[in-house]
Each structure stands twice: as C-alpha cells, then as structure tokens.
Amino acid sequence: MELDDMTADPQWADLHVGLVSRVADCCTLHDYVSCRAVCRAWRAAILPLTSRPLAPVCGDGTEAGGQPLSLGVCSDHAQRWTQLLGVPQPSRFRSVASCRCVGARDGWVALAAATANGRRAGRSIVSLFNPLTGTEIPLHASLYDPKCERAAKVVFSPDPTPRDFAAVSMCRPNRLAVHRSTDGHSSRLTLDTDALMDGADLVDVAYSEDGKVYCLTTNGDVHVLHLNRRRHRGRLRPVEVEPLVTGTDVFSTPYDTISRFTDAKNLVLCNGALYQVWRRPSGAGSALAAVGIWDQQLLYISESDVFVLRYDSWLRPCWTETRDLGGHTVFLGTNDATAVHGDGATELMRGNCLYYWASRLEGGYEAVLHNLATGSSTRWLPATGGACVTSPLWYFLPSGGGDVEAPVENDAASEEVVSIAATVYWEDDADS
C-alpha cells in the first residue's frame, strides 16, 4: 500500500481523528507505526509513541503466547488503556508463570520473578530487558526478595550494556542491593540501612545522571548513595552513603507534621532540581493533625492532597513547598520519575502536573492526574474496558539515536524508522 495512493482517497483521509486514533490503539507496536504511514491525515491524528507514556502489563501465564510482558498505551481520544502485544519474550522468564516489572528507564525495564518448579523453586530471577531489541542483562538474585510483601524497586544507570551497568534495588524497606559491572568486572553488595538511616524505612530511590542514587525515607530524610565506578587493583571501589542534609531545620512548619501523615513519598529529579512529592496513599482516608507545641492548630489532610517540595541547599529550611515544576509534566511510579516538558499541545502534556498510580479495589492500578496550579486530583483514563495495569510504573520509548520513531531527514512526508526485535520497519512512500 503506497502513501500517495492513500492520500488521494478522501474516504480514508477524511475519517474522524478520534476513530483513527481508536483503531491505532488496537494495533500492535508494529502495526501502530504502519498506521501513521497510511496518509498525512492519519499521521496528524495519531501521536508518535515517543510523545506519550506506556504502562507495562505483566502477564500471569494466561495471555496469548504466555508472554510475561506487554505494553499498554494511553490515548487522549480513546480514553482507555489497550495492550500492545508483539513484545519479544525474555528468555530467562519463559518458565515462570508470572513476573513483576520493578523498574523502567530509557526504553529498558527491570523484571523480577521467582521460579515455581524444580530444585530451584522460589529462587529469584532478575533481569534488565529491552522490549524493542530483546536484549537481556542478568542481574544478581539479591536484587529481588520474593518473600517481601512490597515489590522491589530497581533503578539503573542510563544506556546499560552487559559489560557496563549499575543497578540498585530497594529490595526491602531496610535493605539496598547493588550490582555493578565495569569493563566486565562485576561487583555486588547488600546494605542494611537501619544503622545508616537512623532506623527509618526506605520509601523511594532515584538514580541521577551523575551516578548518584538518592534514597528517601518515611520521615522525608534523603541520603545519597555514591556509586564510584572506578576500579582499584581490578576491583570496583565500595559505595559510600551520606545524608543530603544535616541538622533539624529541614522542613518548616507545618511540613514537619505533614511528613508524618503522608506515607506515599516519591523523589523527582527534574531539569537538575530535586523534588519530593508527598501524598496520603489510596485507602488511608483523611487525617486531622495537631500543628505546633503551645498554640496547637488542627490541620486537615485529605486523601487527595498532594504536596511538592523543592530542595535548595542554600536555604534554611532547605525543603520548601512549590507549585512550579518549570513547565514539566512528571510521571510517578515505581521506576525513576520521568519528567517531560509540557508543551500544552495535548491534554496529556499540559505542564506543571503530576501523574501517579492509585490502587483499585478490584485489583490493579489506575492513573491519577494532579494539577499543581489548582491543587485538584482527578482519575485519568480509567482502565475499565481495556487492559488492567498490573505494574505501577511508566514506560517511555527512547526518542533518538535510531530507536523508535526517530525522524530521518528525507522526503517531506517525514520517514520514520522503528527497530523492534531486530526487525526494521520503514514508514515512507514505499510499501508499508
């Protein structure tokens, strides 16, 4: 089918943009890209996948083909989640009935599972996996503890390779596991954080571009895990942990009190700035807190309240509330928070907004949109009628370097190259 022929047929080109988008959302990753090559009208109606997030949907062994991982894409028009199959199956997970997606970054996901049969039943399997190329990087089993009720969170270095990567797992509320490799020299260790962080439980970790891992505790304290990637006498140097801030005047009133009533906390690295996002988790209900020692005032904290604090090292207190993310839209999940500059072109990218996951009574998760300017939170694209989001994280396709939908300088029709599972699909004026 040729692009010029399709462009000349008004019956195709004049279809309603909502209908075109809905048709595309029902396609696989391969066919989705082909739909954008049908004609210029379709191309304008269907957003490129790099411009919007996907949600990993981990299988339970009952899906077609038994694949443990698929991706769900959201659409402003369809108002639902749809599974996009056609994702290659990770080889290390072919024998497991189900797996968990415990991290995502730059087109990679971190998968974890426990073996169910044989002599190694109950043993952990952890890998970094690229759904687009099928590349797997095995990680040490210590990064996932299947006996822990709370799922692990794995953060890792940008653009990992089998010989050069760093992965840090919050495998338990009081334990960090580190697995590193530089030039093929591997090192791993486990850190008990009780003594390092004054007995406070971990609630989030974030991996910065400069190789630091920020660790957030339940009381809002932040510690920095320095990953020294240099080798000494053939071995990787050990990691170092230090508090980001020392002293007691970290939060001003009433945020020192609010911190105790907001168990759902996240770290956000946005355009070089460090933020904390606090909220009461789903099902916790509202709370009434007393503020102050002598003249006590009652502070009402509802389940929908969200507090965003920015870190400024030269201020005291150094964490202060803000309603400005520099025009960015931030997606919160069990992976590194993803910040995308909001251009306001779509409802999805309006800027100075937060998207986070809330658990559903019937199981799975649904997305919630919080507008910092108005302070309002609304359910966003409920999962009814589409795929249930089983992993509360966001997945973004890489946006350059010859990856998914990278633009190629050529014809005015704008070619696109998509490399998925070692198969290259071209969108141009040739046959699609």
Side-chain angles (χ1 to χ4, degrees), residues 84-418:
L84 296 178
L85 302 178
V87 176
Q89 183 175 357
S91 59
R92 298 185 74 207
F93 294 83
R94 290 173 182 168
S95 60
V96 301
S98 63
C99 71
R100 284 179 166 178
C101 202
V102 292
R105 178 176 188 165
D106 302 328
W108 290 78
V109 292
L111 299 177
T115 55
N117 303 313
R119 293 181 301 173
R120 298 185 177 183
R123 191 171 182 178
S124 299
I125 304 174
V126 193
S127 287
L128 298 181
F129 177 63
N130 191 321
L132 307 179
T133 65
T135 305
E136 292 182 68
I137 301 177
L139 299 180
H140 194 257
S142 61
L143 272 67
Y144 176 60
D145 186 352
K147 297 179 181 178
C148 184
E149 294 182 1
R150 190 177 71 179
K153 175 176 179 177
V154 177
V155 295
F156 47 93
S157 54
D159 302 320
T161 67
R163 292 179 55 85
D164 191 359
F165 68 86
V168 178
S169 171
M170 189 175 65
C171 50
R172 278 186 172 270
N174 62 345
R175 186 180 302 168
L176 287 173
V178 182
H179 187 187
R180 299 179 292 166
S181 179
T182 299
D183 297 329
H185 295 268
S186 183
S187 173
R188 53 185 180 268
L189 74 157
T190 302
L191 296 173
D192 190 329
T193 61
D194 281 336
L196 295 173
M197 303 178 186
D198 299 325
D201 284 346
L202 292 167
V203 291
D204 198 17
V205 288
Y207 201 115
S208 68
E209 294 291 339
D210 57 1
K212 298 177 182 177
V213 177
Y214 293 91
C215 306
L216 179 63
T217 66
T218 52
N219 55 20
D221 289 340
V222 177
H223 291 72
V224 184
L225 183 69
H226 297 275
L227 295 178
N228 193 329
R229 304 294 303 282
R230 292 177 299 176
R231 290 186 288 116
H232 177 66
R233 294 180 179 178
R235 301 181 63 183
L236 289 174
R237 293 181 182 272
V239 300
E240 301 174 0
V241 181
E242 65 178 7
L244 178 67
V245 184
T246 58
T248 57
D249 54 344
V250 176
F251 304 109
S252 62
T253 303
Y255 301 103
D256 51 351
T257 301
I258 294 174
S259 176
R260 303 198 306 268
F261 293 87
T262 49
D263 294 335
K265 291 182 170 69
N266 290 94
L267 281 172
V268 178
L269 290 164
C270 180
N271 199 28
L274 182 62
Y275 297 85
Q276 289 192 44
V277 179
W278 298 350
R279 60 184 179 85
R280 284 183 67 79
S282 302
S286 302
L288 199 61
V291 179
I293 299 177
W294 305 110
D295 288 330
Q296 288 194 345
Q297 298 179 344
L298 293 179
L299 177 66
Y300 181 78
I301 305 173
S302 70
E303 187 176 317
S304 60
D305 285 343
V306 177
F307 306 90
V308 179
L309 296 95
R310 179 187 171 111
Y311 173 70
D312 290 298
S313 58
W314 53 274
L315 288 178
R316 280 293 181 176
C318 54
W319 289 100
T320 55
E321 188 176 14
T322 181
R323 294 185 179 274
D324 181 18
L325 292 171
H328 287 81
T329 299
V330 173
F331 295 83
L332 300 173
T334 54
N335 55 308
D336 277 343
T338 302
V340 180
H341 196 277
D343 54 11
T346 65
E347 183 74 9
L348 181 65
M349 301 298 183
R350 62 177 66 181
N352 290 327
C353 289
L354 298 169
Y355 292 89
Y356 64 87
W357 294 107
S359 59
R360 307 165 65 206
L361 293 177
E362 58 271 32
Y365 299 86
E366 63 184 0
V368 177
L369 164 63
H370 178 78
N371 189 314
L372 288 181
T374 63
S376 61
S377 296
T378 56
R379 295 175 61 193
W380 180 69
L381 306 183
T384 55
C388 176
V389 178
T390 56
S391 299
L393 54 82
W394 303 93
Y395 178 86
F396 280 82
L397 295 172
S399 57
D403 291 313
V404 173
E405 298 199 350
V408 179
E409 295 181 3
N410 204 332
D411 185 74
S414 180
E415 297 173 327
E416 286 182 348
V417 184
V418 176

